[in-house]
Amino acid sequence: MILAQLKHTVRFLLVGSAALGGLTFVLLGPRATQGQATAPQITFINVRSVGGDTATIDFSTNVPTEARIHYGLTSSYTTYEPASTWDGEKITHEIILSSLTQNTTYHFQIEVRLKGTTVCNFGTDCAKSADRTLRTSSGTGAGSLAITGITADCIDTSCYLIYSTGGDAATVGARWGISSASNFSGNPPDPAGYPAASFVTETSPQTGKRSIQIGPLVANTTYYYRLQANGAAGQFTTDELTLKTSTNAVDHVFSTGACRDGTAIGACNNNHEYCSTSGSLIQDCTRCGFLCPAGQTCTGSVGSGACIVDPALNGAPSQCNQPDCYTPSGQFINPAPAGCYASWSACSANTILKVRKDRGCNLWLSCDSTFQSAPNPASGTVAENQCLSLVGCNQINDKGQCVNPLPTGQCSNDPIRFCNVDSDCTA
């Protein structure tokens, strides 16, 4: 006899005996068939923050699940967290292990189940991770480390990861790869999903804003990466982040539009460096108050100022700056016009720079007739010889007096030339 046509396969436990004259059917529950919910999987395991007596572990599942962590000093595990239940149904989980011992290595395993599951069938309605480890710090309390302000400045074959750590000093390391890493636990972190060689780290604990370079990378490629800080206060690991390299060595790709020290494009940093549109920090003497060293002059247009060495001074009077080297208020112009140098002095109007001889002189003008003016004691003037007419002279004495006057004659084409014959005016 057919009891019923069932849409799903149902499992029954058959109990009883022929002596009882009947059978009893006990419903056990449905067996997995086509149409059952997707089996859970655990991904992105992240030991986020480890202190002396606590540790925070993050992870995700592909479907909503309940979760707990089994942990202990060995892979035999002795304790559950939560202790007597599971955390609520979700995809992203965060579980804190507490009452740990300082400076101790712990093993842990994550277990998840579909909501409503009472008996786990791993691979069907439950899942568990492989054995993982973490190590607590030498101090008590939750880890006080954090990595913030993360940006990336990339060219084609390398990137600078820019970040800050606050509070306690920490050594920061980075791992990266072209595929997402589903596991990033332990200290040092397990590089599953990232190539083992793709790892760089600082050499000593530090605080504040800084950067670390990763590479070699492939041009025009997306990479996944994480940063992890380790210090006396514990351990902190970032979420998985992404970056993309540029197509060539000239172009830059920025996550937030800044140079590698975090200076915004078009802005100046405390070292008087300018963050250019190419993402490079440059010492531009036309911007940011950057000054050329002594003996050098800023040249070029605004935005491309470079310092050049001034010509060496040799004592020549001509080595001085003309008035167009200065503003009306007397300030040396920066960047300097051509021919102006910061180490040179301004030219003096009372200094003879150069005399060019343009003709020889063998003829002078001398007085032909004079009269003497009367002295005036009241005004302090003395008698002076006043010249009434001029005559040519080709010889004077050491007192400037003519000793060889020329006959009276004056060239019509040059009034200051005297002549005896016409040829004297054309010679």
Side-chain angles (χ1 to χ4, degrees):
M1 178 178 65
I2 299 176
L3 296 177
Q5 287 187 330
L6 302 177
K7 185 175 181 180
H8 300 285
T9 301
V10 180
R11 293 185 293 155
F12 294 91
L13 176 63
L14 178 62
V15 296
S17 67
L20 297 176
L23 298 175
T24 300
F25 294 90
V26 179
L27 180 64
L28 294 180
R31 181 179 297 278
T33 62
Q34 186 176 5
Q36 177 191 324
T38 304
Q41 296 176 358
I42 304 170
T43 58
F44 301 110
I45 302 172
N46 182 18
V47 180
R48 173 175 296 278
S49 182
V50 179
D53 54 10
T54 63
T56 302
I57 301 173
D58 297 342
F59 56 94
S60 299
T61 52
N62 59 327
V63 293
T65 61
E66 299 172 323
R68 65 182 180 180
I69 293 179
H70 207 183
Y71 68 98
L73 297 179
T74 69
S75 58
S76 297
Y77 315 121
T78 57
T79 308
Y80 280 106
E81 181 63 44
S84 58
T85 184
W86 299 65
D87 73 349
E89 184 184 31
K90 62 188 76 172
I91 290 179
T92 301
H93 301 260
E94 178 184 277
I95 296 179
I96 299 175
L97 308 184
S98 58
S99 301
L100 305 179
T101 302
Q102 299 177 32
N103 201 29
T104 301
T105 297
Y106 284 86
H107 293 252
F108 69 92
Q109 185 178 62
I110 300 169
E111 297 180 0
V112 299
R113 69 180 184 183
L114 297 176
K115 186 176 181 180
T117 302
T118 56
V119 179
C120 272
N121 294 298
F122 289 101
T124 303
D125 44 24
C126 294
K128 61 183 176 181
S129 70
D131 178 62
R132 304 283 188 262
T133 61
L134 61 85
R135 187 171 182 83
T136 54
S137 69
S138 57
T140 60
S144 61
L145 297 178
I147 304 175
T148 59
I150 303 170
T151 62
D153 170 11
C154 298
I155 55 174
D156 55 342
T157 58
S158 66
C159 291
Y160 277 91
L161 305 180
I162 305 156
Y163 53 89
S164 296
T165 56
D168 299 297
T171 302
V172 174
R175 287 194 184 275
W176 67 93
I178 59 174
S179 299
S180 176
S182 60
N183 173 40
F184 201 78
S185 63
N187 182 15
D190 183 344
Y194 300 137
S198 298
F199 175 71
V200 293
T201 184
E202 296 173 335
T203 57
S204 61
Q206 303 176 50
T207 59
K209 189 172 187 177
R210 54 200 190 272
S211 64
I212 194 169
Q213 187 178 26
I214 64 173
L217 308 177
V218 178
N220 197 31
T221 302
T222 297
Y223 284 85
Y224 298 83
Y225 71 96
R226 293 178 192 256
L227 296 173
Q228 186 180 77
N230 290 283
Q235 180 186 95
F236 180 89
T237 306
T238 67
D239 291 330
E240 188 170 58
L241 305 169
T242 61
L243 57 82
K244 187 173 184 179
T245 53
S246 67
T247 57
N248 57 65
V250 177
D251 295 333
H252 280 241
V253 177
F254 305 93
S255 58
T256 58
C259 281
R260 64 191 53 156
D261 69 343
T263 302
I265 290 176
C268 303
N269 65 15
N270 292 333
N271 296 323
H272 304 290
E273 295 172 313
Y274 178 75
C275 181
S276 68
T277 54
S278 66
S280 300
L281 288 170
I282 59 176
Q283 293 178 331
D284 184 343
C285 58
T286 65
R287 289 179 167 139
C288 305
F290 178 79
L291 301 177
C292 292
Q296 297 185 22
T297 299
C298 181
T299 63
S301 59
V302 174
S304 61
C307 298
I308 64 167
V309 178
D310 296 345
L313 292 170
N314 56 20
S318 59
Q319 286 189 314
C320 62
N321 290 323
Q322 296 297 323
D324 58 1
C325 297
Y326 301 91
T327 65
S329 62
Q331 297 295 316
F332 186 77
I333 296 174
N334 188 71
C340 301
Y341 301 100
S343 62
W344 287 13
S345 300
C347 295
S348 171
N350 297 321
T351 300
I352 297 177
L353 300 181
K354 186 176 182 180
V355 175
R356 180 173 62 87
K357 182 178 180 180
D358 60 353
R359 68 183 69 181
C361 184
N362 58 6
L363 185 66
W364 292 266
L365 292 177
S366 179
C367 288
D368 181 31
S369 60
T370 62
F371 80 95
Q372 191 176 63
S373 63
N376 186 350
S379 63
T381 59
V382 296
E384 292 182 341
N385 289 327
Q386 303 291 325
C387 192
L388 297 178
S389 63
L390 297 174
V391 67
C393 180
N394 64 4
Q395 187 176 356
I396 60 175
N397 60 21
D398 58 356
K399 297 181 180 180
Q401 299 170 332
C402 181
V403 295
N404 188 29
L406 298 176
T408 302
Q410 192 173 38
C411 296
S412 61
N413 63 344
D414 189 347
I416 69 170
R417 296 183 68 178
F418 292 83
C419 59
N420 293 314
V421 294
D422 289 344
S423 61
D424 291 339
C425 297
T426 60

